[in-house]
Amino acid sequence: MADQVQADSAISAEGLRKAEEYVQQEEGAANRLSGWAGVVVTGIAVAMSLFHLYAAYDIVPTQPLRYTHVAFVLVLSFLLFPLAARFRNRIEWFDVIAGALAVFIMGYATWGGDDFTDRAAVPERWDVILGVALIVLVLEAARRTTGPIMPIVAILFILYAILGDYLPPPWTHRPYDFPRLVGDLFITLEGIFGVAVDVSATLIIMFTIYGAILHHSGAGKFFIDFSLAAMGNKPSSAGRAVVASSFLLGGPSGSGVATTVMIGTVAWPMLKKAGFEPNAAGGLLAAGGLGAIISPPVLGAAAFLIAEFLKISYLDVIWMAVIPTLLYYASLLFMVELDAFRFGAREVVFKQEMPLGKMVRRYGFHFVSLVAVVIFMVVGYSPMTAVFYSTLLAVLLSFLNRQTALFPRKLVQALADGSISALGAATTCASAGIIVGVVTLTGLGLKFSSIVIDYAGGSLLLTAIYTGLIVWIIGLAVPVTASYIICAVIAAPALTKLGVPDFAAHMFIFYYAVLSEVSPPTALSPFAAAAITGGDPYKTTMQAWKYTLPAFLVPFVFVLDPQGLGLLMKIPKGGSIYDIIWITAVTAIGLAALSAAAQGWALRRTPTVERILFGLCGLLLVFPSLLEAIMETVTGLDIPYPAPFGLTLGIALLLWQWKGPVPAGLQTTGR
């Protein structure tokens, strides 16, 4: 028995090691420095956080803010992330030189003033030399922090800008000489220092600092404990706790993989006791991690870019994400309830340190700053200022309990971690700036949208499908933030040309970019979950796809159906608030039907024919105009859609399962 316990412990330790490797694949494998090197790097990281907190409190001009941000990011990236694995956990001389060169280039740009920015079209020799050096430094920093794919993609776009006249139509464009290209990427605010870096220097860094403050004050542990205590001792409680805690952890974590691992280490033993098999448990954990990226008020880094691209407030983006997020978690909870029947789940008694009421009284202040972020924006503060005050509030509230108090040593570590956590997103934004600069310079976005529409024959349904596939494929290779940025400039115009509102097109792309978290071969969240549960990584990924079904389908609703804009809190033309309520209710019922089809269970286990009919019912409810769109695409005829058909089919199926005969050999209990 002792040997078996030791073996189980060894497997658990190996699983946690693998899970940590997947987190590092998303966030980079940073050096673990000690001694003077650790002190220096921590000092630089704290200085970066303090600078951005000051910038949030007092106005810093746009270009100096972006230049200083990039300088900090490059220095820390070279000091913390090694050139290769054999250089781990130490700082090499070439890392110091690279960081010093980055600071020199940023100083050169800052001191150049207006004379420097006026030379973008005709850069001087040193402008070109230092511009090339900066491009190389940015791409190398991105390679160290996020892997080789993003730099390779950026290099391909640079080659496209240079060799455009050698390409066949419709991809051809007039060539740009190398100095002009470098000037555009280095000197203007359309390249490296464009919109993406602006968002990184304002919102992303501020939210990572805020998340680090919450984490070090114990908010993450409280949110998990609260979810476990609040869900009650029922057969489905373990699954419910995963869903609830993933939503609450979206603020402190901001990472789908990190959230999956954080919850999985606590929840997997309970899911196992409840009767979940490893692959299904891993799929649920990964789906919960995905939810952390799409959940207000923080969402993912790409959501900040939506506000900047569309020139709207971040509060508007939060507002648009509310109903899709509620639908996502409602579907997850519904699937968890069906799992309780499908697996014959058993009741699990959670071991609680204290009763729920006492826990809330002692640690409930962690909720306050999360709510405050939204309240500050509602009363008129900018998102940057709102998160600044919420961060200060989180620090002050931590002193309500000695265990959570951010005394100086802990506060310093939180500030350092806040900056370090932003490095992956920041280098991605800087690299993406190269791509955006090339797209803007060459007009690739308009060309690409015309090509997509031509292939789709002008059909909005096919254009949406092609766009979703493009975003999904790009998301397999690059991080969520980069995937959104690339597709926002090359794919969104295809949807807007066909009459889709720009905010709906960008939200569509955002949700499909997020799906890269659960899409093989780079499905880091399911792979990390499988490492914890001991399941098969690819079977776990398929289970995660099943649980994340709403994230795949709901975006099509607000692109294909004019009434679907209600899901983004936008009242359809000529409509009212009741249209929002109606489309939300119908979509929720449709997702429930799709969940029953995916789980193979409704009121009882469903045979194949009933699963197909539940799937059809769900599609007709989620896409009220699906039949119309398909018929128009296939035949060119505008055939009205019989609205009650999907709802009628669903009611008929439930009545059949309730009163109809049970097919021979079909069990009505769990496994």
Side-chain angles (χ1 to χ4, degrees):
M1 182 67 179
D3 293 338
Q4 181 63 43
V5 171
Q6 290 178 358
D8 291 342
S9 299
I11 293 172
S12 176
E14 177 66 14
L16 289 174
R17 185 188 65 79
K18 288 183 178 179
E20 183 62 29
E21 288 178 358
Y22 290 119
V23 175
Q24 290 177 354
Q25 285 185 42
E26 182 181 59
E27 301 179 357
N31 289 327
R32 295 180 179 177
L33 302 173
S34 58
W36 68 268
V39 172
V40 169
V41 170
T42 298
I44 295 173
V46 170
M48 179 178 175
S49 289
L50 292 176
F51 167 76
H52 284 92
L53 288 169
Y54 170 77
Y57 177 74
D58 197 9
I59 296 176
V60 175
T62 299
Q63 284 182 286
L65 174 61
R66 298 183 193 183
Y67 292 155
T68 306
H69 177 71
V70 170
F72 270 121
V73 166
L74 292 178
V75 169
L76 286 175
S77 295
F78 288 118
L79 296 181
L80 275 171
F81 296 87
L83 178 69
R86 65 178 183 273
F87 300 118
R88 285 288 303 275
N89 300 328
R90 63 180 186 271
I91 297 176
E92 299 290 341
W93 61 269
F94 44 77
D95 299 325
V96 176
I97 290 177
L101 179 58
V103 173
F104 174 78
I105 295 172
M106 294 300 97
Y108 175 86
T110 302
W111 294 326
D114 292 339
D115 290 338
F116 172 71
T117 56
D118 291 341
R119 298 196 298 264
V122 284
E124 296 178 354
R125 181 179 180 183
W126 275 107
D127 297 338
V128 176
I129 292 173
L130 294 180
V132 171
L134 177 65
I135 291 171
V136 172
L137 290 174
V138 166
L139 295 180
E140 171 59 13
R143 185 196 67 82
R144 292 190 182 198
T145 55
T146 65
I149 301 297
M150 189 64 191
I152 291 172
V153 172
I155 290 170
L156 291 176
F157 272 84
I158 291 174
L159 292 175
Y160 173 76
I162 297 172
L163 305 175
D165 57 333
Y166 294 102
L167 299 173
W171 302 101
T172 187
H173 64 82
R174 75 180 183 85
Y176 293 92
D177 60 75
F178 193 66
R180 168 66 192 282
L181 176 62
V182 172
D184 198 72
L185 297 180
F186 173 38
I187 299 176
T188 73
L189 297 183
E190 301 293 333
I192 291 174
F193 302 105
V195 170
V197 160
D198 181 59
V199 172
S200 175
T202 53
L203 291 177
I204 293 176
I205 181 65
M206 288 301 300
F207 273 97
T208 59
I209 294 170
Y210 171 60
I213 292 293
L214 285 181
H215 173 72
H216 281 273
S217 65
K221 181 180 183 302
F222 165 70
F223 291 150
I224 293 177
D225 291 343
F226 173 83
S227 300
L228 295 176
M231 289 301 104
N233 296 317
K234 295 182 179 180
S236 59
S237 293
R240 289 182 187 178
V242 169
V243 176
S245 56
S246 68
F247 173 75
L248 294 173
L249 282 171
S253 169
S255 164
V257 183
T259 302
T260 298
V261 173
M262 192 182 303
I263 298 173
T265 53
V266 176
W268 163 234
M270 292 181 295
L271 291 171
K272 186 176 181 180
K273 288 180 182 178
F276 278 78
E277 55 94 16
N279 297 321
L284 178 60
L285 291 169
L290 182 78
I293 307 177
I294 64 174
S295 299
V298 178
L299 298 157
F304 306 129
L305 290 156
I306 295 176
E308 192 64 29
F309 274 123
L310 297 179
K311 303 302 179 186
I312 60 177
S313 73
Y314 182 61
L315 184 61
D316 289 333
V317 179
I318 293 176
W319 194 242
M320 289 191 292
V322 168
I323 293 178
T325 300
L326 292 176
L327 290 173
Y328 180 79
Y329 281 103
S331 179
L332 274 186
L333 286 171
F334 191 76
M335 287 193 180
V336 165
E337 295 300 324
L338 294 180
D339 277 333
F341 294 104
R342 189 164 65 99
F343 293 139
R346 298 177 291 275
E347 180 179 318
V348 178
V349 178
F350 302 144
K351 295 181 180 179
Q352 301 175 18
E353 295 181 5
M354 63 186 72
L356 178 61
K358 184 178 180 181
M359 185 189 302
V360 172
R361 287 192 298 273
R362 182 172 294 185
Y363 301 110
F365 60 83
H366 287 302
F367 289 124
V368 175
S369 64
L370 281 174
V371 177
V373 172
V374 177
I375 293 177
F376 281 130
M377 285 189 279
V378 168
V379 299
Y381 287 100
S382 70
M384 191 175 177
T385 308
V387 73
F388 168 76
Y389 284 118
S390 295
T391 301
L392 293 184
L393 183 61
V395 173
L396 294 175
L397 290 175
S398 73
F399 287 93
L400 292 176
N401 188 293
R402 184 172 181 80
Q403 291 180 325
T404 64
L406 290 173
F407 291 113
R409 190 184 189 95
K410 193 186 291 188
L411 180 60
V412 166
Q413 192 58 54
L415 292 172
D417 287 351
S419 289
I420 293 170
S421 298
L423 296 181
T427 56
T428 297
C429 287
S431 301
I434 295 173
I435 296 170
V436 173
V438 170
V439 170
T440 303
L441 191 65
T442 61
L444 177 60
L446 296 176
K447 291 187 180 75
F448 190 84
S449 62
S450 298
I451 293 169
V452 171
I453 293 172
D454 288 342
Y455 272 111
S459 165
L460 178 57
L461 173 62
L462 290 179
T463 301
I465 292 173
Y466 292 160
T467 302
L469 288 173
I470 291 165
V471 180
W472 178 52
I473 291 170
I474 292 176
L476 297 179
V478 299
V480 172
T481 306
S483 176
Y484 167 75
I485 294 172
I486 294 170
C487 295
V489 296
I490 68 171
L495 294 172
T496 56
K497 273 188 176 182
L498 293 178
V500 176
D502 56 0
F503 59 84
H506 280 259
M507 290 297 285
F508 178 89
I509 288 171
F510 167 68
Y511 283 113
Y512 266 83
V514 169
L515 291 176
S516 62
E517 288 280 343
V518 294
S519 302
T522 57
L524 298 181
S525 289
F527 282 28
I532 292 172
T533 65
D536 179 270
Y538 290 98
K539 290 181 180 178
T540 300
T541 300
M542 296 308 297
Q543 290 289 327
W545 270 5
K546 180 189 69 176
Y547 284 113
T548 56
L549 192 64
F552 284 90
L553 296 179
V554 169
F556 277 96
V557 181
F558 49 75
V559 166
L560 295 179
D561 191 342
Q563 299 298 312
L565 295 179
L567 297 182
L568 298 178
M569 291 286 194
K570 303 291 183 180
I571 296 177
K573 187 176 181 181
S576 66
I577 187 68
Y578 297 106
D579 293 291
I580 296 178
I581 297 172
W582 171 254
I583 191 66
T584 302
V586 169
T587 303
I589 296 171
L591 291 176
L594 289 170
S595 299
Q599 296 286 54
W601 197 289
L603 300 180
R604 55 172 168 77
R605 194 179 298 277
T606 57
T608 303
V609 173
E610 291 181 15
R611 292 185 73 172
I612 293 172
L613 290 175
F614 269 116
L616 177 61
C617 167
L619 289 174
L620 292 175
L621 288 168
V622 172
F623 303 123
S625 57
L626 179 65
L627 287 180
E628 183 179 342
I630 293 175
M631 292 301 295
E632 185 176 354
T633 300
V634 174
T635 67
L637 301 175
D638 186 6
I639 301 175
Y641 162 68
F645 182 68
L647 194 58
T648 303
L649 177 59
I651 294 172
L653 284 169
L654 290 177
L655 288 174
W656 173 260
Q657 284 218 323
W658 182 35
K659 293 293 187 179
V662 179
L666 191 67
Q667 296 182 6
T668 58
T669 58
R671 57 181 184 179

